[in-house]
């Protein structure tokens, strides 16, 4: 797979951060609307607003995050199947993408159409799923920063378990959370 120039990689990472953390922010907003709806806020305002947000922001962002995240793995030395933290994030995001497109989006749009006529059971759809997905996105964010669990297949000799994640060539990387350059050397 062709690798990016340093500027191209920075541009891709910028897009990845903007979309993935935007996705998390939108999710939190949906959760806030859901809680407000259960606590008695005007359903004719809250649920149509949530339906708009899901349709025009949350669902498109979920596709963008999956595409740009996958490109961030494939076009950098991290690779998609080389590091456990990348693979787990990919799996989490893929499951979430399916749930958002197939379940959450149609249900919230239905809720938006019913608005004040929606029963309590349906209103919980705007609380429980966003609470779960927000948790998953926070886990993805933590994984991205800590990059735990090392390589899936290690080519070099075994490395020390101290110091957390592995760095270039399978060596333990120096500490710090912004050590993006610790991507494996190709
Ligand atoms: C298809 C799913 C995803 C894949 C394959 C993926 C893969 C990657 C890769 C390979 C990097 C390193 C890029 C580089 O060094 O140039 C990265 C960085 C990052 N990702 Fe993801 N990602 C995915 C989804 C997510 C999600 C859902 C979030 C959070 C909501 C997230 C948050 C981050 C953050 C904060 C960084 C920056 C880490 C740093 O620079 O130290 N990613 N991702």
């Amino acid at each position: 797979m062709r690798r990016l120039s340093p500027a191209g990689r920075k541009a891709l990472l910028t897009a990845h951060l903007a979309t993935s953390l935007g996705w998390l922010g939108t999710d939190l907003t949906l959760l806030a609307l859901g809680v407000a709806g259960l606590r008695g806020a005007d359903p004719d305002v809250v649920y149509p607003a949530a339906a708009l947000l899901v349709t025009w922001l949350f669902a498109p962002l979920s596709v963008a995050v999956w595409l740009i995240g996958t490109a961030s793995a494939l076009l950098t030395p991290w690779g998609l199947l080389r590091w456990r933290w990348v693979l787990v994030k990919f799996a989490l995001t893929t499951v979430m993408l399916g749930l958002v497109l197939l379940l959450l989006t149609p249900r919230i749009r239905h809720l938006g159409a019913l608005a004040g006529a929606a029963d309590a059971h349906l209103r919980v759809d705007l609380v429980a799923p966003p609470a779960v997905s927000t948790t998953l996105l926070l886990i993805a964010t933590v994984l991205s920063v800590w990059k735990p669990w090392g390589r899936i297949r290690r080519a070099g000799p075994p490395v020390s378990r101290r110091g957390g994640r592995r760095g270039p060539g399978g060596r333990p990387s120096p500490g710090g959370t912004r050590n993006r350059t610790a991507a494996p050397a190709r």
Side-chain angles (χ1 to χ4, degrees), residues 9 13 16-17 20 23 65-66 69-70 72-73 76 78 80 85-86 89-90 93 137 140-141 144 147 177-178 180:
R9 181 165 172 187
L13 183 61
H16 183 47
L17 294 182
S20 56
W23 197 24
V65 169
W66 190 92
T70 304
S72 302
T76 67
W78 288 111
L80 194 55
W85 70 272
V86 176
K89 259 175 35 154
F90 177 70
T93 309
L137 290 180
T141 306
S144 308
K147 303 177 175 62
T177 56
R178 300 297 308 152
R180 191 178 312 122

Side-chain angles (χ1 to χ4, degrees), residues 4 9-10 12-14 16-17 19-24 65-80 85-94 96 136-147 165 176-181 183:
L4 293 171
R9 181 165 172 187
K10 278 198 171 116
L12 188 62
L13 183 61
T14 304
H16 183 47
L17 294 182
T19 48
S20 56
L21 299 178
W23 197 24
L24 173 60
V65 169
W66 190 92
L67 289 174
I68 296 173
T70 304
S72 302
L74 292 176
L75 299 176
T76 67
W78 288 111
L80 194 55
W85 70 272
V86 176
L87 189 58
V88 169
K89 259 175 35 154
F90 177 70
L92 274 182
T93 309
T94 302
M96 273 191 62
L136 294 180
L137 290 180
L138 284 172
I139 291 172
T141 306
V142 170
L143 290 182
S144 308
V145 174
W146 289 93
K147 303 177 175 62
R165 73 174 204 238
T177 56
R178 300 297 308 152
N179 194 7
R180 191 178 312 122
T181 52

Side-chain angles (χ1 to χ4, degrees), residues 94-169:
T94 302
V95 168
M96 273 191 62
L97 175 67
L99 292 175
V100 166
L101 295 185
L102 299 176
L103 284 179
L104 189 76
T105 303
R107 290 179 85 122
I108 302 301
R109 290 177 65 138
H110 181 55
L111 184 62
L114 288 177
D119 61 20
H121 180 70
L122 214 55
R123 291 176 190 216
V124 173
D125 276 357
L126 194 55
V127 176
V132 172
S133 53
T134 296
T135 307
L136 294 180
L137 290 180
L138 284 172
I139 291 172
T141 306
V142 170
L143 290 182
S144 308
V145 174
W146 289 93
K147 303 177 175 62
W149 308 320
R151 291 192 74 129
I152 293 170
R153 270 174 299 157
R154 217 167 21 227
V159 293
S160 155
R161 291 226 150 247
R162 281 182 297 128
R165 73 174 204 238
R166 308 300 189 269

